[in-house]
Amino acid sequence: MSPLSRDPRRHHHSRRKPMAELQELSRNLHASGYNERSEGGITYLYSNGGTLVSKQWNGSSFGDEELVNSGVKTNSQSAFLGTPEERVVVSISSANTLVVNKFNEDDEEWVEDDFLPTPVVHRDSKLAAYVDTNGGKHVFYQDPAGNLVHLQGSERSDTIPGNAVPGTPLAIVIEENPHLFYVSSQDNFIHHVDQKDGAWTDTVLIPFEVKRRLARLELAPDAATKTLIVYCLADDGTLFQISTENGGKETILGKVETSGSFKAATSAECCPRIVPRCRTYPRPRISGGASASVPHPRISGGASASVPHPRISGGVSASVWSSRNWYC
């Protein structure tokens, strides 16, 4: 997470080498989850062999790692769900249930927490999560039947309309209402569902058939073309992007290796123009002196009418724009 006073131009694509952007994008999509830290660098989550660990990236190398949970599902997705006052991670257990871990500052270790329910999820379910402006925690997943579910704290859960591909990657963007992005089983298009006045509406984002099975999604606005870019990591490691321009245009960027490193398929793919991607930003202090994590940038306009002025909020596993006043 970064201060609100941060220069919004810092992550403009012209200020960073395209290859560096591709390497960072590859690390982000290869990890089980990640979150940018207020003091700089990124915290990544990795699950391997049933063990979930947290690693600090300082911009050039990884620092020490912490054991978060030793009973997660191998290669499953996790998400940060904390605030500046608490470090919280939600993941999927080896028994296909949600599990929450919280960092105990006194004992300096991660422990399981029960402030969220632990429903059974689909065996291939991914996760998306965010923290709202009131500190409420929201988690999105697929239930055993493949339905999309919105879990709102310990109080309620909603089944979301839409027919999702089992194991579809999930990405969440917040304006005044949450927008959940996923791959539909009806047409293999990327859809999004948004909530307004308590009701969820399903809409096609890009009428472009995704023929590969996807592991991860990230979204970013492209100010140059005034369109929305969806970055996709396929199960086979192929990294590509889809633009909302002209009904969908696919560009293969290269491969993400098992180490998380990016390898371009051709020299021409080493230097595509990569638009800024997701970040989280600290939320202003709320009543009672507590603070949580809410990003400051806003996107106006929309690559299509289906994405009305998405303003990002919360969600460490969500796609959060890295600069202010990006228009798409």
Side-chain angles (χ1 to χ4, degrees):
M1 291 173 282
S2 305
L4 288 174
S5 59
R6 181 181 199 172
D7 183 350
R9 298 168 297 179
R10 181 172 177 257
H11 291 286
H12 192 283
H13 60 79
S14 65
R15 287 177 163 255
R16 299 193 58 186
K17 295 180 180 180
M19 195 61 181
E21 283 284 346
L22 285 167
Q23 292 290 0
E24 182 177 318
L25 174 63
S26 297
R27 281 193 302 273
N28 294 351
L29 293 175
H30 176 259
S32 295
Y34 71 96
N35 186 33
E36 186 172 324
R37 306 195 308 274
S38 59
E39 64 272 23
I42 301 175
T43 301
Y44 287 98
L45 295 169
Y46 291 98
S47 64
N48 185 26
T51 299
L52 184 68
V53 298
S54 169
K55 293 183 179 182
Q56 310 295 330
W57 176 260
N58 61 19
S60 59
S61 63
F62 283 105
D64 295 336
E65 68 176 50
E66 298 174 341
L67 173 65
V68 178
N69 192 306
S70 58
V72 301
K73 188 165 186 172
T74 301
N75 297 324
S76 61
Q77 191 172 8
S78 303
F80 285 96
L81 198 58
T83 71
E85 278 71 39
E86 61 178 3
R87 298 167 61 190
V88 178
V89 167
V90 58
S91 55
I92 298 174
S93 74
S94 56
N96 291 320
T97 61
L98 290 186
V99 59
V100 177
N101 287 88
K102 184 177 180 179
F103 188 75
N104 186 306
E105 298 289 349
D106 294 331
D107 296 333
E108 295 186 344
E109 64 178 0
W110 289 89
V111 296
E112 288 196 22
D113 199 290
D114 60 359
F115 71 85
L116 284 178
T118 56
V120 176
V121 304
H122 190 280
R123 63 182 183 180
D124 296 322
S125 180
K126 305 297 193 299
L127 297 176
Y130 75 97
V131 181
D132 65 30
T133 54
N134 295 314
K137 296 176 173 61
H138 302 254
V139 180
F140 296 83
Y141 63 92
Q142 283 183 280
D143 68 14
N147 300 309
L148 296 170
V149 178
H150 170 215
L151 178 64
Q152 186 174 340
S154 60
E155 301 177 359
R156 56 178 291 187
S157 63
D158 303 318
T159 299
I160 300 174
N163 298 295
V165 170
T168 176
L170 303 173
I172 185 76
V173 172
I174 306 299
E175 188 202 17
E176 296 176 355
N177 307 300
H179 297 254
L180 180 70
F181 297 82
Y182 72 98
V183 179
S184 172
S185 61
Q186 287 185 318
D187 46 30
N188 282 333
F189 294 166
I190 294 176
H191 285 223
H192 84 101
V193 287
D194 66 293
Q195 185 183 42
K196 187 175 182 180
D197 299 327
W200 293 90
T201 303
D202 181 82
T203 310
V204 173
L205 174 68
I206 308 176
F208 179 87
E209 184 179 1
V210 180
K211 297 181 180 180
R212 298 177 181 84
R213 183 172 176 82
L214 301 185
R216 300 285 190 271
L217 286 177
E218 255 192 34
L219 294 95
D222 187 343
T225 62
K226 300 185 184 300
T227 59
L228 191 67
I229 299 293
V230 181
Y231 293 102
C232 305
L233 177 64
D235 278 357
D236 65 1
T238 301
L239 179 61
F240 62 101
Q241 65 184 41
I242 304 173
S243 170
T244 55
E245 185 178 11
N246 299 322
K249 179 182 178 182
E250 180 185 281
T251 302
I252 302 296
L253 301 175
K255 286 273 189 177
V256 178
E257 300 180 325
T258 55
S259 63
S261 298
F262 173 77
K263 182 178 181 180
T266 67
S267 59
E269 288 164 5
C270 289
C271 299
R273 190 174 60 80
I274 302 299
V275 300
R277 301 181 319 282
C278 52
R279 296 283 185 270
T280 51
Y281 295 83
R283 171 183 297 136
R285 292 207 168 262
I286 56 179
S287 58
S291 65
S293 139
V294 170
H296 66 280
R298 186 177 71 173
I299 299 165
S300 295
S304 69
S306 64
V307 192
H309 311 290
R311 182 172 186 170
I312 311 309
S313 175
V316 281
S317 70
S319 293
V320 181
W321 318 130
S322 62
S323 305
R324 298 184 191 185
N325 300 323
W326 281 96
Y327 296 88
C328 59

